[in-house]
Amino acid sequence: MKTHHSQIKVYPVSWDKNIKSNLKTTWEIQYKFYCTDYPQGYTVRLKGMNRAKTLEEKQFLTKQIINIELDNLKKGFNL
């Protein structure tokens, strides 16, 4: 079964900048996963970084979650 995904995006888009107002917003990682069961794409949303108390922690967790998700996709993870 052939699968692929769209580019992984993080909201807010300025998540990697040192902007303190980003700490007050809810962050989300989002991408579309495509396979034979979902030819139009299935939206995947991840929000595990919002429990962090500091901006640096949120940025670190966001990078970790993206890396883990990309590793899982490379290993053949599917929904």
Side-chain angles (χ1 to χ4, degrees), residues 3 6 13-14 16-19 24-26 29 31 37 39 41-42 52 55-56 58-59 62 66 73-74 76:
T3 64
S6 67
V13 291
S14 60
D16 56 345
K17 309 258 187 300
N18 193 12
I19 302 172
K24 297 176 184 175
T25 61
T26 301
I29 298 169
Y31 68 93
D37 293 338
Y42 177 82
L55 184 60
E56 293 77 19
K58 243 182 188 183
Q59 291 169 333
T62 301
I66 290 171
L73 289 167
K74 286 177 187 173

Side-chain angles (χ1 to χ4, degrees), residues 46-74:
L46 307 165
K47 296 184 181 183
M49 73 294 277
N50 288 301
R51 67 178 183 263
K53 302 293 182 206
T54 67
L55 184 60
E56 293 77 19
E57 273 185 300
K58 243 182 188 183
Q59 291 169 333
F60 176 77
L61 286 173
T62 301
K63 290 175 188 173
Q64 292 295 93
I65 292 170
I66 290 171
N67 289 335
I68 290 169
E69 196 68 16
L70 287 172
D71 285 344
N72 286 338
L73 289 167
K74 286 177 187 173

Side-chain angles (χ1 to χ4, degrees), residues 20-56:
K20 295 297 180 189
S21 63
N22 283 342
L23 190 57
K24 297 176 184 175
T25 61
T26 301
W27 290 23
E28 181 176 282
I29 298 169
Q30 186 177 40
Y31 68 93
K32 281 202 173 222
F33 180 81
Y34 301 92
C35 65
T36 54
D37 293 338
Y38 298 101
Q40 300 298 318
Y42 177 82
T43 302
V44 178
R45 291 186 174 103
L46 307 165
K47 296 184 181 183
M49 73 294 277
N50 288 301
R51 67 178 183 263
K53 302 293 182 206
T54 67
L55 184 60
E56 293 77 19

